[in-house]
Amino acid sequence: MATVTQHGGPPVRGGGVPAHAKTFLGHPRGLFLLFFAELWERFSYYGMRAILVFYLTKHFLFGEQPAYAVYGAYTSLVYITPIIGGYLSDKYLGPRKAVLAGGILITVGHLLIALLEGPQGQQGSALQGFFLGLAFIIVGTGFLKANISVLVGALYPRDDIRRDGAFSIFYMGINTGAFVGPLIVGALGETVGWSWGFGAAGIGMALGLVVFVLGRRELHGVGEPPVPATLSARSAVGLSTEWLIYLGALAGVGVSWWLVGNQGVVGTLLIVAAAVTIGYILMTSFRTLEREDRHRIFAALFLIALCPLFWALFEQTGSSLNVYTDQQVDRTLLGWQIPASWFQSVNPFFIITLAPLFGALWIKLARRGLEPSAPFKFGIGLILVGAGFFVLTWGAPAEGLTPAIVVITLYALHSMGELCFSPVGLSSMTRLSVGSMTGLMMGTWFLSTAAGNFLAGLIAQATGGEGAGAGQVLEVYGRIGWFAVGIGVVVLLVAPFVARLMHLDTLGDTDHALAGERELAEPTAPGVHPEMTRKG
């Protein structure tokens, strides 16, 4: 194991903070610094996401279909930029500077949205200011989300027994922020004023940023630039590499601003990017990889191909399901009407409560030799997400409002499907990739997630615009539910054949992605990925 010298301390075997660093609850205090920063970032993102469609339809007076298109473009771009942010961090900035830059951009984006609200119904410059705020958040998320988990892993030597517990703590920060964000931002946005909601999201991110800056010493040099001399080197235009990256980020904001307003181009870019990326992976696999490694890449691509379908259905949460909850669900409790955005907290609540149970279940089954393969779990996940829509279509009355328990049950099934899908997929990308292709395969996974978010916008548009009624929405949900279940059953049938391509019996014979420097698959609980979901 390599010996790494950390700034501010003696050499540490395998990396991590110095042995003399102060701890809290047995962990480096830097862990709780990152916990707090991530909690507020997820608070701001999921809080804003809960009211995004409402803001477009109720403030800018968008029709539902164009609002869904903006939502799909925005959420898909959020999953594309971390690929670029991760690359820039690995090669130039280092995770710490990347997280700081990302936090600043996200804060600016939220505050721009809050400050540039404008009168109701006025689009023009106010709408363009809103798109600009989204663009800042998109680029900032690319820098922050790609790297903050890397900082958590870098706090510990690779063989430190505290790593699993550390990611469990960090994971709780992710989902706590995702749970609380819609409650606070949604309540302020829907009942007090939109700018209050977006402002709260921005203040939350700013708090996380301030704590990160003031407490950066607790990182003890972890996450510094890989080659500081390269970062400070002057370019032909007289600026350092670091400042050229920041200027490039602002240019990326401009590109993202244009793309949010031209949603069709995003779909074209996703198709082109997917074709080029998968073509390159296949070409490289046939040219350079041994038979078993090539088979594992094929198995990984099979899992990746299912990803857009799952997220296209799951991500109705923030778009069409959000609007359905607002218009067609009985949200009255003891004479008080619950804000529709609060239902966005149901999913993270179930993730927090069910994740340890699923982790324990996989371990128990594994000890008996009964744990399902990754493709089999994917099939279960697709069936569960489809079944969630069945609950809604069957539970909605012919007349009147849908009981809230029906929507909550839908989210419960979707959350269980997510736990069969997302953590398993992330873990599989790192297990099945060879070391030279780990980053590429993980990037392809997030690219397919972006495609799923874009497709989610198209499905939401298919539910119909104003005047379509609950019947058309439920009809679309019924069709996509049956489609998901059908594909899920097919996946269950072919899972044994795909599992053979994974060659799990010889997986430990070679040094796969688990030896990569970027800790992409640290468990949070037995059998559970640290990020657990796309929330990370």
Side-chain angles (χ1 to χ4, degrees):
M1 185 175 292
T3 300
V4 179
T5 301
Q6 300 292 344
H7 298 276
V12 181
R13 286 184 59 79
V17 300
H20 62 74
K22 294 181 179 179
T23 63
F24 179 70
L25 298 178
H27 289 274
R29 295 201 299 192
L31 171 65
F32 300 94
L33 171 74
L34 300 174
F35 169 96
F36 192 79
E38 178 69 351
L39 184 154
W40 285 113
E41 190 276 331
R42 291 292 86 182
F43 170 93
S44 66
Y45 175 78
Y46 278 96
M48 187 275 288
R49 173 180 174 268
I51 61 173
L52 193 155
V53 170
F54 294 153
Y55 186 55
L56 288 170
T57 56
K58 297 182 179 183
H59 178 72
F60 287 116
L61 303 184
F62 268 44
E64 290 174 10
Q65 290 179 319
Y68 295 153
V70 172
Y71 176 89
Y74 166 67
T75 54
S76 61
L77 288 170
V78 161
Y79 284 96
I80 294 175
T81 52
I83 302 171
I84 303 172
Y87 171 80
L88 292 174
S89 171
D90 283 346
K91 193 168 180 64
Y92 301 106
L93 287 176
R96 187 180 65 79
K97 285 181 177 290
V99 168
L100 179 61
I104 292 172
L105 290 169
I106 292 170
T107 302
V108 170
H110 283 297
L111 295 181
L112 273 176
I113 295 173
L115 295 173
L116 301 177
E117 180 177 327
Q120 183 181 25
Q122 177 182 318
Q123 296 186 6
S125 60
L127 179 61
Q128 293 306 314
F130 174 67
F131 287 166
L132 181 62
L134 292 182
F136 270 96
I137 297 171
I138 288 166
V139 176
T141 302
F143 279 108
L144 191 146
K145 291 307 302 171
N147 296 291
I148 194 165
S149 296
V150 178
L151 283 175
V152 175
L155 292 174
Y156 301 87
R158 299 181 69 86
D159 58 353
D160 195 318
I161 61 174
R162 299 174 298 170
R163 292 175 71 90
D164 288 5
F167 274 99
S168 294
I169 294 171
F170 184 67
Y171 148 74
M172 293 303 292
I174 292 172
N175 284 284
T176 300
F179 173 75
V180 176
L183 298 179
I184 296 178
V185 175
L188 289 172
E190 287 196 71
T191 63
V192 180
W194 301 113
S195 61
W196 286 84
F198 291 117
I203 291 171
M205 186 66 251
L207 284 174
L209 191 62
V210 168
V211 172
F212 183 80
V213 171
L214 295 179
R216 64 187 182 277
R217 291 183 180 179
E218 299 298 339
L219 297 176
H220 295 278
V222 163
E224 294 293 334
V227 184
T230 300
L231 193 61
S232 59
R234 297 286 175 178
S235 65
V237 296
L239 294 174
S240 67
T241 302
E242 180 175 3
W243 279 102
L244 281 178
I245 291 173
Y246 298 149
L247 287 177
L250 292 178
V253 169
V255 173
S256 299
W257 168 75
W258 183 78
L259 288 172
V260 170
N262 295 270
Q263 301 88 25
V265 179
V266 177
T268 303
L269 288 177
L270 287 169
I271 293 172
V272 172
V276 171
T277 304
I278 294 175
Y280 176 78
I281 290 172
L282 290 173
M283 181 180 66
T284 303
S285 299
F286 280 111
R287 286 184 176 182
T288 64
L289 299 184
E290 299 294 334
R291 175 177 172 274
E292 287 192 358
D293 284 335
R294 186 165 60 248
H295 285 177
R296 292 188 182 108
I297 294 296
F298 293 162
L301 289 176
F302 175 82
L303 300 180
I304 287 171
L306 299 174
C307 193
L309 172 61
F310 180 86
W311 293 120
L313 273 60
F314 184 94
E315 280 297 329
Q316 297 307 305
T317 298
S319 54
S320 65
L321 270 173
N322 209 10
V323 172
Y324 182 88
T325 302
D326 182 53
Q327 298 177 353
Q328 303 294 339
V329 173
D330 182 3
R331 297 178 280 112
T332 303
L333 179 65
L334 300 177
W336 175 68
Q337 191 171 60
I338 302 171
S341 54
W342 281 23
F343 283 78
Q344 300 291 295
S345 292
V346 175
N347 168 244
F349 169 80
F350 280 123
I351 293 295
I352 292 171
T353 55
L354 294 177
L357 300 179
F358 271 73
L361 174 63
W362 300 144
I363 281 199
K364 186 174 182 179
L365 291 175
R367 287 172 177 169
R368 298 182 179 182
L370 299 175
E371 182 183 10
S373 65
F376 197 90
K377 291 176 183 176
F378 268 44
I380 296 173
L382 288 170
I383 291 173
L384 286 170
V385 77
F389 287 110
F390 291 159
V391 168
L392 182 57
T393 56
W394 295 339
E399 295 182 2
L401 298 176
T402 301
I405 189 62
V406 173
V407 177
I408 292 172
T409 304
L410 175 148
Y411 283 131
L413 290 170
H414 281 196
S415 299
M416 288 188 283
E418 184 180 2
L419 289 170
C420 290
F421 204 94
S422 183
V424 175
L426 290 165
S427 177
S428 295
M429 293 306 105
T430 60
R431 295 184 72 199
L432 300 176
S433 302
V434 294
S436 60
M437 296 177 67
T438 308
L440 178 62
M441 294 303 295
M442 188 60 66
T444 307
W445 170 267
F446 285 115
L447 183 63
S448 65
T449 303
N453 277 267
F454 186 80
L455 290 174
L458 299 181
I459 292 175
Q461 292 178 67
T463 60
E466 290 69 23
Q472 181 172 335
V473 176
L474 295 175
E475 182 182 351
V476 172
Y477 286 169
R479 290 202 300 266
I480 62 177
W482 279 114
F483 185 75
V485 169
I487 296 295
V489 171
V490 172
V491 172
L492 294 182
L493 294 175
V494 303
F497 304 99
V498 179
R500 291 178 190 173
L501 292 177
M502 298 169 72
H503 296 286
L504 296 178
D505 54 332
T506 60
L507 191 61
D509 294 348
T510 55
D511 207 12
H512 291 283
L514 297 176
E517 292 183 0
R518 290 175 61 86
E519 302 294 338
L520 292 170
E522 302 295 341
T524 65
V528 181
H529 188 274
E531 303 292 336
M532 283 311 306
T533 71
R534 78 232 172 274
K535 294 180 186 61

